[in-house]
Amino acid sequence: MAPAEPTAPEAVLACGEIRTRLLPTRQALDIRSAAQFLALRADERVLLSERPGLYARSPETLTGVDCPLPSANGSRVRAVGTVAARAALTEGRVLQTSAYFRLPPTGPDQRRPWGHYLVRPGTVEPFGRARPEAVAEGVLGGGRHGDLDVGLIADQLLTRLLRHPLLDQRPPLRSRPTRLRWAALPAAPGQGPALERFTLAEDELRTVRLRVPPGTPADRIAGLCDDLALHDWLLTTVVHLLDGVRLGTPQPPARPGADDRPAVVLALRPAVDHLLHLWMPRARVAAELAPLWQTLEESPGFTRQWQALVQRIRDQLTLHAIPALYREVEPAP
């Protein structure tokens, strides 16, 4: 009889960090190119989906770590294990890299052989006992130099992908990348998932603190946070796009022979072509975590803000299209 596979103890904390940015290429990648782009491992296939929209996710890669855990109370608890990382591409246009780990309440008193940690992917074990609340706040706060930094692992994966030969480094519009840090603690018995805190910090950084049902797999929590990061990036990008456009009276071409469409139309057209159809909250969120989106819809009201931005773009395009139509039908003198 074959021995049972080792299992990691139930986690009391899951943490991660996500990078979201526009893919630097003029044309969106089709499904075949997306599979080639995200083929991080030869032994596992890229996950592909065409409904409700084109979505591709790489297999997970593991990074071994042996360092102190971030902690808000100043304690230095050493931990050893592996951090899981993966990348996702939405509609061949928006790239995300994500790194995360789960933390059990206690670990061994001494370091074990790497084989022990490799059969527990995405699990980081403390030496002795760790304080989940302090570690969660330490992760959200960024930690100290030398502490476990999952954002650095997500950055390394992003850098690797941005060097891919499929990318021509010619994005169709200007945008800023965003970062989202998250920490999820177990909810009290009998209580459902809860979004305790969502903050917008400096340098395009967001932090999220969650409560999830005990035993929720870390990859499902990471999937929820990927979805949140994607839609937060969409909102941020469209807001910045509108802020950079001078709305009002249509402007003439900058120089003779230039595109004679109004400057507002030229500025807003990329959002219509590449971004507006990507808004699909909860499309790939586990059912037990989907209620967390309801909190975001109530405050700050993600979808209400998005609909207002989309309507504003459509109004501006209509406003600037009407004079052009009149010019086309006006008889020559």
Side-chain angles (χ1 to χ4, degrees):
M1 182 177 179
E5 292 186 1
T7 58
E10 183 174 326
V12 295
L13 176 66
C15 299
E17 194 159 336
I18 304 159
R19 301 288 185 268
T20 306
R21 61 162 296 153
L22 188 71
L23 196 67
T25 181
R26 178 63 61 178
Q27 297 294 330
L29 298 187
D30 59 27
I31 194 164
R32 288 188 178 183
S33 298
Q36 180 183 350
F37 178 68
L38 296 178
L40 302 181
R41 294 173 52 178
D43 59 335
E44 288 192 34
R45 293 184 177 181
V46 175
L47 174 66
L48 300 172
S49 172
E50 295 184 349
R51 300 290 185 274
L54 177 60
Y55 178 79
R57 193 177 72 197
S58 75
E60 290 186 347
T61 62
L62 299 179
T63 301
V65 295
D66 183 348
C67 55
L69 290 168
S71 180
N73 62 9
S75 62
R76 301 287 283 182
V77 177
R78 181 184 170 191
V80 182
T82 59
V83 174
R86 65 191 186 190
L89 194 60
T90 301
E91 289 291 349
R93 178 54 71 195
V94 182
L95 173 63
Q96 294 181 285
T97 58
S98 172
Y100 61 93
F101 67 92
R102 59 193 298 275
L103 181 75
T106 58
D109 293 329
Q110 59 184 358
R111 196 178 185 284
R112 296 183 180 180
W114 270 115
H116 168 83
Y117 303 106
L118 291 176
V119 296
R120 296 165 175 82
T123 300
V124 174
E125 295 183 352
F127 283 10
R129 180 174 293 276
R131 296 183 178 274
E133 291 279 352
V135 174
E137 290 304 313
V139 168
L140 296 178
R144 298 165 294 187
H145 179 70
D147 288 350
L148 175 58
D149 187 350
V150 290
L152 180 61
I153 296 173
D155 269 336
Q156 291 172 342
L157 179 55
L158 180 62
T159 300
R160 171 184 171 184
L161 289 170
L162 291 179
R163 294 172 178 165
H164 200 285
L166 282 172
L167 306 182
D168 59 21
Q169 306 303 326
R170 297 171 58 211
L173 59 103
R174 292 184 178 181
S175 64
R176 304 176 187 177
T178 58
R179 300 177 291 149
L180 186 143
R181 280 189 203 131
W182 59 270
L185 292 153
Q191 293 186 357
L195 177 63
E196 291 188 332
R197 189 169 72 234
F198 175 74
T199 61
L200 277 66
E202 73 285 351
D203 300 327
E204 309 301 325
L205 171 66
R206 288 85 170 97
T207 60
V208 178
R209 179 181 163 114
L210 305 166
R211 291 282 178 178
V212 298
T216 303
D219 63 332
R220 295 188 182 182
I221 306 172
L224 164 75
C225 294
D226 287 347
D227 194 55
L228 171 57
L230 170 65
H231 290 85
D232 172 77
W233 179 86
L234 287 170
L235 274 174
T236 302
T237 300
V238 173
V239 167
H240 287 166
L241 183 64
L242 283 168
D243 286 345
V245 175
R246 294 181 59 187
L247 304 180
T249 305
Q251 300 295 319
R255 63 185 185 278
D259 195 323
D260 62 355
R261 288 178 296 176
V264 171
V265 174
L266 294 175
L268 296 182
R269 177 66 183 271
V272 177
D273 291 342
H274 303 287
L275 301 181
L276 298 192
H277 63 290
L278 302 184
W279 191 262
M280 296 183 187
R282 298 189 299 268
R284 294 179 176 86
V285 175
E288 66 269 26
L289 299 177
L292 289 168
W293 257 105
Q294 186 59 36
T295 304
L296 292 169
E297 298 295 19
E298 294 172 357
S299 177
F302 266 38
T303 297
R304 290 198 306 273
Q305 184 182 3
W306 177 258
Q307 291 172 344
L309 292 172
V310 171
Q311 188 59 52
R312 189 179 178 194
I313 289 173
R314 289 174 176 167
D315 290 345
Q316 287 297 320
L317 293 178
T318 301
L319 176 66
H320 290 81
I322 291 174
L325 290 176
Y326 275 112
R327 286 196 298 270
E328 290 178 4
V329 301
E330 184 177 357

